[in-house]
PDB file of all heavy atoms in Angstrom:
ATOM      1  N   ARG N   3       7.367   7.400 -65.875  1.00  0.00           N
ATOM      2  CA  ARG N   3       6.333   7.580 -64.847  1.00  0.00           C
ATOM      3  C   ARG N   3       6.159   6.299 -64.018  1.00  0.00           C
ATOM      4  O   ARG N   3       6.033   6.351 -62.808  1.00  0.00           O
ATOM      5  CB  ARG N   3       5.009   7.951 -65.535  1.00  0.00           C
ATOM      6  CG  ARG N   3       3.880   8.226 -64.548  1.00  0.00           C
ATOM      7  CD  ARG N   3       2.661   8.751 -65.289  1.00  0.00           C
ATOM      8  NE  ARG N   3       1.581   9.047 -64.349  1.00  0.00           N
ATOM      9  CZ  ARG N   3       0.691   8.159 -63.956  1.00  0.00           C
ATOM     10  NH1 ARG N   3       0.768   6.916 -64.413  1.00  0.00           N
ATOM     11  NH2 ARG N   3      -0.264   8.484 -63.098  1.00  0.00           N
ATOM     12  N   LEU N   7       6.585   6.011 -59.914  1.00  0.00           N
ATOM     13  CA  LEU N   7       5.541   5.571 -58.997  1.00  0.00           C
ATOM     14  C   LEU N   7       6.021   4.384 -58.153  1.00  0.00           C
ATOM     15  O   LEU N   7       5.702   4.275 -56.970  1.00  0.00           O
ATOM     16  CB  LEU N   7       4.282   5.188 -59.765  1.00  0.00           C
ATOM     17  CG  LEU N   7       3.526   6.366 -60.411  1.00  0.00           C
ATOM     18  CD1 LEU N   7       2.389   5.843 -61.265  1.00  0.00           C
ATOM     19  CD2 LEU N   7       3.005   7.321 -59.330  1.00  0.00           C
ATOM     20  N   GLY N  11       6.132   4.556 -54.216  1.00  0.00           N
ATOM     21  CA  GLY N  11       5.384   3.598 -53.415  1.00  0.00           C
ATOM     22  C   GLY N  11       6.279   2.879 -52.418  1.00  0.00           C
ATOM     23  O   GLY N  11       5.902   2.647 -51.274  1.00  0.00           O
ATOM     24  N   THR N  16       8.074   2.019 -46.735  1.00  0.00           N
ATOM     25  CA  THR N  16       9.134   1.847 -45.747  1.00  0.00           C
ATOM     26  C   THR N  16       9.196   2.982 -44.752  1.00  0.00           C
ATOM     27  O   THR N  16       9.801   2.842 -43.694  1.00  0.00           O
ATOM     28  CB  THR N  16      10.507   1.742 -46.442  1.00  0.00           C
ATOM     29  OG1 THR N  16      10.727   2.940 -47.203  1.00  0.00           O
ATOM     30  CG2 THR N  16      10.553   0.538 -47.350  1.00  0.00           C
ATOM     31  N   ALA N  47      -4.100   3.004 -10.087  1.00  0.00           N
ATOM     32  CA  ALA N  47      -4.687   4.149 -10.787  1.00  0.00           C
ATOM     33  C   ALA N  47      -4.257   5.458 -10.137  1.00  0.00           C
ATOM     34  O   ALA N  47      -3.965   6.444 -10.827  1.00  0.00           O
ATOM     35  CB  ALA N  47      -6.213   4.035 -10.792  1.00  0.00           C
ATOM     36  N   ALA N  56       3.155  14.514 -13.032  1.00  0.00           N
ATOM     37  CA  ALA N  56       4.577  14.775 -13.282  1.00  0.00           C
ATOM     38  C   ALA N  56       4.908  14.839 -14.763  1.00  0.00           C
ATOM     39  O   ALA N  56       6.062  15.066 -15.138  1.00  0.00           O
ATOM     40  CB  ALA N  56       5.421  13.688 -12.605  1.00  0.00           C
ATOM     41  N   VAL N  64       5.672   6.877 -21.371  1.00  0.00           N
ATOM     42  CA  VAL N  64       6.244   5.952 -20.396  1.00  0.00           C
ATOM     43  C   VAL N  64       5.520   4.614 -20.508  1.00  0.00           C
ATOM     44  O   VAL N  64       4.332   4.565 -20.835  1.00  0.00           O
ATOM     45  CB  VAL N  64       6.122   6.512 -18.951  1.00  0.00           C
ATOM     46  CG1 VAL N  64       4.666   6.540 -18.491  1.00  0.00           C
ATOM     47  CG2 VAL N  64       6.973   5.710 -17.980  1.00  0.00           C
ATOM     48  N   VAL N  90      14.565  -2.115 -16.272  1.00  0.00           N
ATOM     49  CA  VAL N  90      13.595  -1.028 -16.185  1.00  0.00           C
ATOM     50  C   VAL N  90      14.303   0.242 -15.728  1.00  0.00           C
ATOM     51  O   VAL N  90      15.373   0.207 -15.118  1.00  0.00           O
ATOM     52  CB  VAL N  90      12.449  -1.390 -15.213  1.00  0.00           C
ATOM     53  CG1 VAL N  90      11.674  -2.592 -15.720  1.00  0.00           C
ATOM     54  CG2 VAL N  90      12.959  -1.619 -13.796  1.00  0.00           C
ATOM     55  N   ILE N  93      12.020   1.345 -10.410  1.00  0.00           N
ATOM     56  CA  ILE N  93      11.080   0.404  -9.805  1.00  0.00           C
ATOM     57  C   ILE N  93      10.199   1.163  -8.824  1.00  0.00           C
ATOM     58  O   ILE N  93      10.699   1.856  -7.933  1.00  0.00           O
ATOM     59  CB  ILE N  93      11.808  -0.738  -9.074  1.00  0.00           C
ATOM     60  CG1 ILE N  93      12.615  -1.584 -10.063  1.00  0.00           C
ATOM     61  CG2 ILE N  93      10.809  -1.621  -8.324  1.00  0.00           C
ATOM     62  CD1 ILE N  93      13.456  -2.668  -9.411  1.00  0.00           C
ATOM     63  N   PRO N  99       6.813  -4.986   1.834  1.00  0.00           N
ATOM     64  CA  PRO N  99       7.525  -6.159   1.317  1.00  0.00           C
ATOM     65  C   PRO N  99       8.080  -5.939  -0.092  1.00  0.00           C
ATOM     66  O   PRO N  99       9.172  -6.420  -0.418  1.00  0.00           O
ATOM     67  CB  PRO N  99       6.448  -7.253   1.318  1.00  0.00           C
ATOM     68  CG  PRO N  99       5.459  -6.813   2.331  1.00  0.00           C
ATOM     69  CD  PRO N  99       5.434  -5.323   2.242  1.00  0.00           C
ATOM     70  N   ALA N 106      16.675  -5.614  -2.244  1.00  0.00           N
ATOM     71  CA  ALA N 106      17.533  -6.797  -2.322  1.00  0.00           C
ATOM     72  C   ALA N 106      17.965  -7.093  -3.751  1.00  0.00           C
ATOM     73  O   ALA N 106      18.995  -7.734  -3.976  1.00  0.00           O
ATOM     74  CB  ALA N 106      16.805  -8.007  -1.737  1.00  0.00           C
ATOM     75  N   ALA N 166      -6.853  -7.821  21.124  1.00  0.00           N
ATOM     76  CA  ALA N 166      -6.013  -8.628  20.238  1.00  0.00           C
ATOM     77  C   ALA N 166      -5.538  -7.793  19.066  1.00  0.00           C
ATOM     78  O   ALA N 166      -6.179  -6.804  18.684  1.00  0.00           O
ATOM     79  CB  ALA N 166      -6.774  -9.851  19.740  1.00  0.00           C
ATOM     80  N   ALA N 179       7.330  -4.905  13.705  1.00  0.00           N
ATOM     81  CA  ALA N 179       7.248  -3.519  14.158  1.00  0.00           C
ATOM     82  C   ALA N 179       5.872  -3.216  14.737  1.00  0.00           C
ATOM     83  O   ALA N 179       5.752  -2.562  15.780  1.00  0.00           O
ATOM     84  CB  ALA N 179       7.556  -2.568  12.997  1.00  0.00           C
ATOM     85  N   ASP N 212     -10.281 -18.302  18.054  1.00  0.00           N
ATOM     86  CA  ASP N 212      -9.303 -17.971  19.097  1.00  0.00           C
ATOM     87  C   ASP N 212      -9.710 -16.709  19.852  1.00  0.00           C
ATOM     88  O   ASP N 212      -9.557 -16.632  21.077  1.00  0.00           O
ATOM     89  CB  ASP N 212      -7.913 -17.761  18.478  1.00  0.00           C
ATOM     90  CG  ASP N 212      -7.275 -19.056  18.017  1.00  0.00           C
ATOM     91  OD1 ASP N 212      -7.680 -20.122  18.519  1.00  0.00           O
ATOM     92  OD2 ASP N 212      -6.363 -19.000  17.162  1.00  0.00           O
ATOM     93  N   MET N 261     -14.715   0.940  12.822  1.00  0.00           N
ATOM     94  CA  MET N 261     -14.045   2.218  12.551  1.00  0.00           C
ATOM     95  C   MET N 261     -12.647   2.023  11.986  1.00  0.00           C
ATOM     96  O   MET N 261     -12.081   0.924  12.008  1.00  0.00           O
ATOM     97  CB  MET N 261     -13.991   3.091  13.801  1.00  0.00           C
ATOM     98  CG  MET N 261     -13.201   2.555  14.961  1.00  0.00           C
ATOM     99  SD  MET N 261     -13.282   3.765  16.335  1.00  0.00           S
ATOM    100  CE  MET N 261     -12.401   2.874  17.602  1.00  0.00           C
ATOM    101  N   ALA N 288      18.670   9.815  -4.056  1.00  0.00           N
ATOM    102  CA  ALA N 288      19.448  10.059  -2.842  1.00  0.00           C
ATOM    103  C   ALA N 288      19.184  11.438  -2.261  1.00  0.00           C
ATOM    104  O   ALA N 288      19.393  11.669  -1.066  1.00  0.00           O
ATOM    105  CB  ALA N 288      20.935   9.896  -3.132  1.00  0.00           C
ATOM    106  N   LEU N 300     -10.220   9.715  10.887  1.00  0.00           N
ATOM    107  CA  LEU N 300     -10.997   8.818  11.732  1.00  0.00           C
ATOM    108  C   LEU N 300     -12.385   8.661  11.114  1.00  0.00           C
ATOM    109  O   LEU N 300     -13.093   9.647  10.901  1.00  0.00           O
ATOM    110  CB  LEU N 300     -11.117   9.400  13.152  1.00  0.00           C
ATOM    111  CG  LEU N 300     -12.058   8.654  14.116  1.00  0.00           C
ATOM    112  CD1 LEU N 300     -11.574   7.227  14.364  1.00  0.00           C
ATOM    113  CD2 LEU N 300     -12.168   9.434  15.428  1.00  0.00           C
TER     114      LEU N 300
END
Side-chain angles (χ1 to χ4, degrees):
R3 183 173 181 272
L7 290 174
T16 59
V64 69
V90 297
I93 296 175
D212 288 338
M261 63 180 176
L300 173 62

